[in-house]
Each structure stands twice: as structure tokens, then as C-alpha cells.
């Protein structure tokens, strides 16, 4: 039988997790974690200060050398057991994600399945860390290349995918033999806490993963990043914070993985299958209530189909039902807080002033939560403010184009380069687009690219490095090269 919300919340640890123990935080007071659909507090959790952060780092550092010697198969087995436990408890994880983050329960189940795949994937990757051995070109030497764990890593995650953003980092770190300090976002830390309890149950040794929750992120993270015991930082969040962390990382020349913001273009050509394009648009725009780094941010549509595409999208958007995520009828939840909702108002008002037209939405939804109606903005002028910002909410601006060249120019006209989407039935055009769109990922005739087996990541100011795929584990490994003379000489 499903747990009640109260029983589920009672299972969530509320302390910091350091050296295999749940301990008090020494920051001021506690952190109240809110349900964005009601504005009410779900749970109060520990607040770490800088000393707690350094205690977590010390624990990770002391564990690093023993953890690196644990057999790859054993590291993989721990991940595999955790995968099985999360799968068994997927309804609990989905409910908790929905409660603290607001997404509809069906989507939260999707996140659990997706996030959990990183554990299965990296359980398999743990035993595939390879090297090579061969002759030097002159034949006088032998060259050996191996990989070893980077060392202690610091993971900082955002609020929008509370499970998946954690497993994408913790999975490869465990597989590679790294220990870690994890700092989840203060807005949605509960899922990570429950997840780490699950790792503990699956047999993860004390000190491998340490978790700090804090409402003083900069002050608590700074000393960790400045400490020579740390070797890597892996961050998912905004480009603005990513830049600051890169600056700080430069002092110790840390390995860095940065999954930052996006401003995804969604191109629809005159030869596109419009049904597929509208379905793809709903997925790419409305997944996570538009609060995803991969969210379609700019719909760039050929003028001959722009009106029809806009009307069909508006029809689907206006049919969505706003509500609390855990209500099974809900198909769109609230945005994360009042500040985010105010930003939606600002963006829509500015776009209208700059010549665009609201064809559906454009206002708050009813209720105490931070609801904003799914919105379509038609005929948005190139150069409009909204096209240059990460919207992070349920607003779809449509810009018109005439030629493929114009479309590509509009798509690439941003400092971001995470993902692009393109809908066309012309194979040659599709291939041209793959080569000309400046993004780390492209969805060709699909609105969803995320997959644990794929290298997720961006170019330009969307980040550095890749998560998932065969590339994902390399972010946690150093290459070691050895030269030795030809043994027969
Ligand atoms: P954010 O940058 O505000 O915060 C991310 C994390 O950084 C949080 O844990 C926060 O507490 C912490 N943080 C903030 N300032 C810090 C500082 N000075 N020092 C240390 N830590 C600090 O981002 P957010 O609002 O939580 O998430 C939304 C952003 O994340 C969007 O820009 C989105 O595109 C991006 N994102 C990117 C990906 C990706 O894979 N590329 C995935 C999800 C989200």
C-alpha cells in the first residue's frame, strides 16, 4: 500500500550525512523545505555552515585511498543494489519529488526511471575502465596508459530534477572510485537525502558520499573549493553561478564539469510533420513545467506553417490542467516560487511591448501555489528580450523565418549551446542542421534527448564536460601514462 505523505516525509533523514552518520548542522536555524503548490512547509532540515562543509570534505578525503582500492565489481554491485532498491521504492521517490518540486506525479515517475538508469549504467561502466599497452613508434619503448580516480569531488546540484541531477554525478563517482561531498539545492534537498539513505542501505561504506544541506551556499562551498584536498568540482545549475565556481576552481586548478543553462532553439521547417512537431514541442517545452535546461526556449518556425503550428500548440497548452503535482489529474504544476512567477509576468509583458501577441495564457493560475498558465506568444520579433533569456517556465515564444540560413542564424544567436531541436522530413536538410547548429546535443524530429547511455552536455556557455554515456565516467578519471624500455633490450 502506498505511504501517506506524512509517513513518507517521516522516512526522510533531516541531518547532514558525514562519515556515515546523520549529524546536526551548525548553521543558523534550520532550512524549511516548501511545497510550491501550497506554499506550506513540508519538512525542516539541518543547515550546514563552513565547518560542517570542511568536516564533510575531511571525511571524503580520509576515505578516498581505501575506496579507490575497492574492486570495480564491488563498486558496481553497490550501484546495482541501489538501482534495485530505488526501483522497488519508485513510488516513494516519485511522490517526494512531486511534493518538494511540484512536477506532476507522472513526470516524477519518469524522473525516477531516468535518474535510476544512471545507477544501472554506471554499475556496468565500473568494470569497463580500460587502458592500453603498446610499442612506442621507434620500437625502443613500451607505453602503458591507465586510468585512476580523480580523487575527492564536490557535487553541487540544482532544484529542478532532485533525483536525476544527483545520480548523474554520484553514479560515475562511485563507479570510478572517487569519494564525494554533495550539496543539493536548498529548495529541493529531500529526495537526495532519501536517496543517500538508500545508498547506505545498499552497502556503501561510510565516508564515500557525504551530504551537506545549507542556505549559505557560497559561504559553505567557498572553503571546500579552496581546500587542496579537493580535486574536482561537478556543478549543475545556472551559467551565472557556474562562472563564479570556475573562477574559484582556478585557484586549485580543479578538474571541472559544468552543466549550465540553456536557451534551446526548436526549429520547424515547412516540410516538417506538424503532428510530430507539436507533440515534440509539448515535450520539449512542458517537461518539468518548462523548468529544464533542455526546455525549448525559442520556437523558430517557417512563416508558411507558423500560424497553424502556433494554434495547434496553443490548443494543447490550454488543455493542460494546473494543480498540485501529486493529484493524478494534474498535467502541469506550479513554478518553483513567487520570484519565478514574477519573472513569467515580466517576460510576457516585455514581449507584448516588443510586438509579440499572447494567443493563450499570459496570466497566473488560480490557487495558493505559484501557478502560471501555459502560454504561447505568436510572432515574436527577432531581437526580443525573451529570446535572449532562459525562460525556465511554461512560455513558448514563436519567431518566424523565411530561409534555412535565417533559421540557423537565429538558432545560433545566443551565448548558450546546450541542445537544439529540429523538425524536417528532408534528410539532407536534417544532416546540414546537425552540422550547423552550435549545440552539444540535437533532437532531430524528437523533443526529448535525455538518456543515461548518451553524453549529455553543452558547448559555449552551457558548460564543460559530459554526463552519462561512455564519456561520463571519464570525468572522474585521470589518465596515467608510463614509459618503460623495450624489455628485450
Ligand atoms: P543555481 O545556479 O541558482 O543553483 C544551483 C546550485 O548551486 C544550488 O545547489 C545552489 O544552492 C548552488 N549555489 C548557488 N550559488 C552558489 C555559490 N555562490 N556557491 C556555491 N553554490 C551555489 O541554479 P538553479 O536555479 O538551482 O537551477 C536552474 C539552473 O540550472 C538553470 O540555469 C538550468 O538551465 C540549469 N540546469 C542545467 C542542467 C544541465 O545539465 N545543463 C540541468 C538542470 C538545470
Amino acid at each position: 500500500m502506498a505511504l501517506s505523505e506524512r509517513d513518507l516525509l517521516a522516512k526522510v533523514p533531516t541531518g547532514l550525512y558525514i562519515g556515515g552518520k546523520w549529524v546536526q548542522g551548525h548553521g543558523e536555524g534550520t532550512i524549511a523545505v516548501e511545497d510550491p503548490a501550497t506554499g506550506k512547509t513540508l519538512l525542516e532540515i539541518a543547515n550546514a555552515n563552513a565547518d560542517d562543509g570542511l568536516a564533510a570534505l575531511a571525511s571524503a578525503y580520509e576515505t578516498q585511498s581505501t575506496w579507490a582500492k575497492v574492486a570495480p565489481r564491488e563498486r558496481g554491485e553497490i550501484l546495482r543494489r541501489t538501482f534495485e532498491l530505488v526501483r522497488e521504492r519508485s513510488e516513494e521517490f516519485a511522490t517526494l519529488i512531486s511534493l518538494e518540486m511540484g512536477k506532476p506525479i507522472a513526470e516524477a515517475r519518469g524522473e525516477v526511471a531516468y535518474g535510476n538508469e544512471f545507477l544501472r549504467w554506471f554499475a556496468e561502466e565500473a568494470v569497463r575502465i580500460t587502458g592500453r599497452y603498446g610499442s612506442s613508434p621507434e620500437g625502443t619503448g613500451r607505453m602503458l596508459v591507465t586510468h585512476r580516480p580523480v580523487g575527492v569531488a564536490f557535487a553541487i546540484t540544482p532544484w529542478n530534477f532532485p533525483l536525476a541531477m544527483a545520480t548523474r554525478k554520484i553514479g560515475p563517482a562511485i563507479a570510478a572510485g572517487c569519494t564525494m561531498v554533495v550539496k543539493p539545492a536548498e529548495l529541493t534537498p529531500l529526495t537526495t537525502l532519501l536517496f543517500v539513505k538508500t545508498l547506505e542501505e545498499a552497502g556503501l561504506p561510510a565516508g564515500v558520499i557525504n551530504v551537506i544541506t545549507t542556505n549559505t551556499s557560497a559561504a559553505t562551498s567557498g572553503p571546500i573549493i579552496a581546500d587542496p584536498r579537493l580535486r574536482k568540482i561537478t556543478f549543475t545549475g545556472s551559467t551565472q553561478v557556474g562562472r563564479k565556481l570556475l573562477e574559484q576552481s582556478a585557484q586549485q586548478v580543479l578538474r571541472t564539469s559544468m552543466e549550465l543553462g540553456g536557451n534551446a532553439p526548436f526549429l520547424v521547417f515547412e516540410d516538417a510533420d506538424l503532428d510530430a512537431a507539436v507533440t515534440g514541442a509539448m515535450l520539449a517545452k512542458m517537461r518539468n513545467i518548462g523548468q529544464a535546461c533542455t526546455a525549448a526556449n525559442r520556437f523558430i518556425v517557417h512563416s508558411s506553417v507558423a500560424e497553424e503550428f502556433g494554434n495547434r500548440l496553443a490548443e494543447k497548452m490550454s488543455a493542460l490542467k494546473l494543480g498540485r503535482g501529486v493529484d493524478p489529474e494534474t498535467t502541469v504544476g506550479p513554478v518553483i516560487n513567487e520570484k519565478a512567477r514574477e519573472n513569467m509576468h515580466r517576460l510576457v509583458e516585455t514581449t507584448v511591448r516588443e510586438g509579440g501577441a499572447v494567443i493563450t495564457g499570459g496570466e497566473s493560475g488560480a490557487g495558493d501555489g505559484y501557478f502560471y498558465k501555459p502560454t504561447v506568444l505568436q510572432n515574436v520579433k527577432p531581437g526580443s528580450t525573451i529570446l535572449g533569456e532562459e525562460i525556465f517556465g511554461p512560455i513558448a515564444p514563436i519567431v518566424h523565418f523565411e530561409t534555412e540560413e535565417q533559421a540557423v542564424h537565429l538558432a545560433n544567436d545566443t551565448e548558450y549551446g546546450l541542445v537544439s531541436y529540429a523538425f524536417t522530413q528532408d534528410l539532407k536538410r536534417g544532416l546540414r542542421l546537425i552540422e550547423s547548429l552550435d549545440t552539444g546535443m540535437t533532437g532531430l524530429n524528437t523533443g526529448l534527448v535525455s538518456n543515461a547511455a548518451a553524453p549529455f552536455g553543452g558547448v559555449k556557455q552551457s558548460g564543460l564536460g559530459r554526463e552519462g554515456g561512455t564519456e561520463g565516467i571519464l570525468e572522474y578519471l585521470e589518465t596515467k601514462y608510463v614509459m618503460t624500455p623495450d624489455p628485450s633490450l
Side-chain angles (χ1 to χ4, degrees), residues 154 156-161 165 168-169 183-187 214 216-222 225 233 235-242 244-245 248 258-262 291-294 336 390 392 416 418 441 456-458 462-463 467:
F154 183 25
I156 303 180
T157 58
W159 52 264
N160 60 346
F161 290 93
M165 296 303 104
R168 282 205 319 198
K169 299 184 186 306
K183 193 206 83 58
E186 57 272 40
L187 290 169
T214 181
T216 52
S217 290
T220 304
S221 303
I225 303 168
I233 180 158
F235 172 73
T236 299
S238 60
T239 296
Q240 194 190 5
V241 173
K244 281 190 206 153
L245 295 174
Q248 293 175 44
M258 294 277 146
E259 296 286 351
L260 309 178
Q291 303 169 117
C293 51
T294 50
I336 192 71
E390 192 175 22
F392 239 60
Y416 294 104
L418 188 61
M441 306 178 283
F456 187 105
S462 286
E467 288 189 322

Side-chain angles (χ1 to χ4, degrees), residues 20 43 55 77-78 120 159 163 327 352 361 385 407 426 430 441 466:
L43 213 55
E77 293 289 336
I78 293 169
R120 174 151 64 177
W159 52 264
L163 182 69
D327 176 349
V352 170
T385 306
D426 178 338
M441 306 178 283
R466 294 294 180 268

Side-chain angles (χ1 to χ4, degrees), residues 29 42 44 60 98 112 170 207-208 211 240 274 304 328 355 366 415 436 438:
L42 291 167
E44 303 224 0
S98 183
V112 176
I170 295 173
V208 176
V211 184
Q240 194 190 5
L274 271 199
S304 64
E415 73 266 28
S436 56
D438 287 338

Side-chain angles (χ1 to χ4, degrees), residues 133-146:
Y133 178 79
S135 175
S136 62
E138 327 73 71
T140 53
R142 295 293 176 267
M143 300 162 78
L144 175 69
V145 180
T146 60

